[in-house]
């Protein structure tokens, strides 16, 4: 199997997994995988459970449509993330319920939209940042993602949802699921005193990098 065919299969598997686990609704959510100098990305208007390895869009790193069906309207965000993070090969974006809810909080802390409540959040996500609200399709969205992604692989788009890159598509999905779980814990604790991990407890856990082996559950 060629590298491109293997990447397409992985993308299809993860897209179906996101849908099966209820991590996004309707025809929202999209996945991208870098292959060489190109990006395979989910097409527009296709529910993630219907994504096929044989019918993916191909775009360039600039976000230009090269082949296959028309890409998701959010493809420029994926391309921006991959331009900023040459060590990462995949991007996952959803409108997951609890993450989307946190993204709508008026008192969101842009520098730390979720506290490190659990060890797995610290290991798989590390530092997340929130980005200002941008209307769908506004080119400013890709520009802000690209700028912020130099510093972190996990971004929370205000009034929208998370976008996360990883060294492969499984690592990106692991991080996205951890964000969604932590968002649910965080919202469950609203109004109660919270005890996040201390800076030294967080520092003792590995933040994700392209070369860090994934921790077993
Ligand atoms: Zn979206």
């Amino acid at each position: 199997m060629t590298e491109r065919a293997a990447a397409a299969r992985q993308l299809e598997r993860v897209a179906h997994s996101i849908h099966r686990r209820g991590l996004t609704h309707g025809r929202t959510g999209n996945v991208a995988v870098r292959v060489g100098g190109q990006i395979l990305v989910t097409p527009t208007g296709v529910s993630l459970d219907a994504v096929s390895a044989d019918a993916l869009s191909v775009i360039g790193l600039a976000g230009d449509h090269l082949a296959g069906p028309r890409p998701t309207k959010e493809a420029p965000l994926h391309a921006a993330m991959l331009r900023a993070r040459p060590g990462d090969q995949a991007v996952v974006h959803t409108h997951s319920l609890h993450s989307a809810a946190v993204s709508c909080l008026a008192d969101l802390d842009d520098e730390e939209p979720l506290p490190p409540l659990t060890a797995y959040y610290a290991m798989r996500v590390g530092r997340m940042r929130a980005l200002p609200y941008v209307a769908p399709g506004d080119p400013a969205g890709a520009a802000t993602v690209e700028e912020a992604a130099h510093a972190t692989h996990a971004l929370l788009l205000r009034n929208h949802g998370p976008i996360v890159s990883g060294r492969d598509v499984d690592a990106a999905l692991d991080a996205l699921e951890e964000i969604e779980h932590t968002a649910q814990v965080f919202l469950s604790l609203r109004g109660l005193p919270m005890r996040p991990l201390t800076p030294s407890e967080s520092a003792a856990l590995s933040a994700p990098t392209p070369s860090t082996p994934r921790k077993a559950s």
Side-chain angles (χ1 to χ4, degrees), residues 28-30 74 77 93-95 157 160-161:
T28 65
N30 26 73
E74 299 183 304
L77 305 182
H93 164 63
T94 62
H95 302 174
L157 312 176
H160 190 167

Side-chain angles (χ1 to χ4, degrees), residues 143-213:
T144 54
V145 163
E146 184 166 2
E147 188 182 349
H150 287 291
T152 177
H153 74 133
L155 301 170
L156 185 62
L157 312 176
R158 270 188 187 261
N159 302 85
H160 190 167
I163 182 165
V164 184
S165 67
R167 68 185 179 284
D168 58 34
V169 74
D170 289 304
L173 178 56
D174 280 350
L176 184 121
E177 281 202 283
E178 211 54 52
I179 290 167
E180 174 62 4
H181 174 73
T182 301
Q184 187 170 11
V185 173
F186 177 73
L187 292 172
S188 304
L189 290 169
R190 288 279 282 181
L192 296 171
M194 291 187 207
R195 189 271 181 195
L197 299 186
T198 65
S200 65
E201 286 168 344
S202 288
L205 302 160
S206 325
T209 68
S211 58
T212 304

